[in-house]
Amino acid sequence: MYTVKELARLTGLTPRTLRYYDSIGLLCPRRNGDNDYRLYGGGEVERLQQILLYREMGLPLEEIGRILDAPDFDRAGALRGHLDRLLERRRETEALIRTVRRELQTMEGEQTMQDKEKFEGMKRRIIQENEAAYGQEAREKYGAAVSDSAARLAGMTEGEWTQMQEEERGYRQALLRAMAADDPAGEDAREAVRLHAAWLARYWPPESVTAQAHLGMAELYVQDRRFTEHYEKTAPGFAAFFLRAVQAYYREP
């Protein structure tokens, strides 16, 4: 049996976190009858392991509780899924290490990198930058879709990458024309929305780019200051006008 402080030292969590898990019914220890101290036995420790695994996968605590309390909870399946994501993360890290080593060799005159290797290194850097900037927050909102997005980007060919860049330039240019005409429902605006959906499908599984998901993404561009500032570099009011265009696109046939 472990007290709160003992389990905190064992897991690296804070006592405050363990007490919070108790308060929301996620991890409820036994109580010492003499002093009302929280006591954690083998069952609670095993449940905490599952909580930490799912938290690492980016699931919200409320969803973790529903999963663990479900009568058909598949522990082995959960562990296999977590292992797959860890292995994918390791592959991405190992590929980045190889690229950095080649770059150092090139700088030292030992080896000339091929264009393909430079392209692969560039992709890895973008994945790492996206992870650092948005990874944890995005996983809390979208779960496994974020890991799938990184894997899709890592697996792109140079031709697919070029096409994605053309789609991005295309939807920006089309939206700028729509903004100049102040027409969020016109053909230029509709073309911008179509190209943006195609661009988004490079990151997400195509079937997940639904009207609801597309609208949600457009709303995020306005609600999240980081996205808004990014699009404001294209033109003042770009994010807000894009949201109007997406709303018009799905409102009209």
Side-chain angles (χ1 to χ4, degrees):
M1 301 290 287
Y2 298 94
T3 65
V4 169
K5 290 184 178 179
E6 290 169 341
L7 188 59
R9 284 196 297 267
L10 179 67
T11 61
L13 299 173
T14 64
R16 181 178 179 180
T17 296
L18 292 173
R19 294 189 186 98
Y20 176 66
Y21 288 174
D22 184 12
S23 71
I24 63 175
L26 182 61
L27 181 68
C28 301
R30 309 168 199 181
R31 295 283 185 163
N32 186 310
D34 296 329
N35 52 28
D36 202 34
Y37 282 3
R38 295 174 174 84
L39 295 175
Y40 298 84
E44 289 78 27
V45 172
E46 182 177 331
R47 182 178 174 93
L48 179 57
Q49 180 188 34
Q50 297 299 315
I51 292 170
L52 296 179
L53 283 174
Y54 276 111
R55 196 179 72 171
E56 173 67 18
M57 293 163 61
L59 296 182
L61 295 180
E62 182 179 351
E63 186 173 348
I64 292 174
R66 286 197 300 269
I67 291 172
L68 295 182
D69 293 335
D72 57 349
F73 171 59
D74 181 5
R75 183 184 177 192
L79 289 172
R80 281 193 293 270
H82 187 60
L83 177 60
D84 288 343
R85 289 174 176 81
L86 290 174
L87 290 173
E88 176 61 28
R89 192 177 304 173
R90 185 177 72 179
R91 286 192 292 271
E92 292 175 0
T93 301
E94 289 174 345
L96 184 62
I97 290 171
R98 288 194 297 271
T99 299
V100 171
R101 282 176 175 166
R102 291 191 189 104
E103 289 179 346
L104 285 172
Q105 290 169 345
T106 299
M107 292 172 63
E108 295 165 359
E110 296 179 8
Q111 176 181 332
T112 301
M113 287 183 64
Q114 300 298 315
D115 288 343
K116 178 175 174 55
E117 292 172 334
K118 291 182 180 179
F119 169 66
E120 292 298 326
M122 178 267 299
K123 284 195 303 184
R124 298 295 174 182
R125 283 195 297 274
I126 290 175
I127 291 172
Q128 293 291 327
E129 289 169 1
N130 286 345
E131 171 63 24
Y134 306 108
Q136 181 176 352
E137 180 181 351
R139 274 192 297 275
E140 290 175 356
K141 291 182 178 180
Y142 303 111
V146 175
S147 297
D148 294 340
S149 173
R152 288 172 66 83
L153 181 58
M156 278 187 189
T157 66
E158 192 163 358
E160 290 170 335
W161 176 266
T162 299
Q163 181 63 33
M164 184 180 72
Q165 298 304 303
E166 291 176 355
E167 289 163 350
E168 181 175 12
R169 283 192 296 271
Y171 82 71
R172 287 175 185 262
Q173 291 170 359
L175 197 72
L176 286 173
R177 293 194 300 270
M179 289 178 69
D182 193 24
D183 187 3
E187 188 51 42
D188 282 327
R190 296 179 67 81
E191 178 67 8
V193 175
R194 286 192 292 267
L195 286 171
H196 184 268
W199 174 81
L200 201 57
R202 303 283 181 179
Y203 288 96
W204 295 359
E207 65 276 7
S208 68
V209 187
T210 61
Q212 182 179 1
H214 203 182
L215 282 164
M217 202 65 193
E219 290 169 354
L220 186 64
Y221 290 168
V222 174
Q223 295 166 357
D224 191 310
R225 178 178 53 82
R226 293 167 299 179
F227 284 111
T228 304
E229 290 177 351
H230 172 74
Y231 282 112
E232 288 291 300
K233 294 175 183 177
T234 301
F238 189 95
F241 191 87
F242 180 68
L243 174 58
R244 292 172 59 196
V246 175
Q247 291 170 335
Y249 183 89
Y250 290 109
R251 184 168 57 242
E252 300 177 4

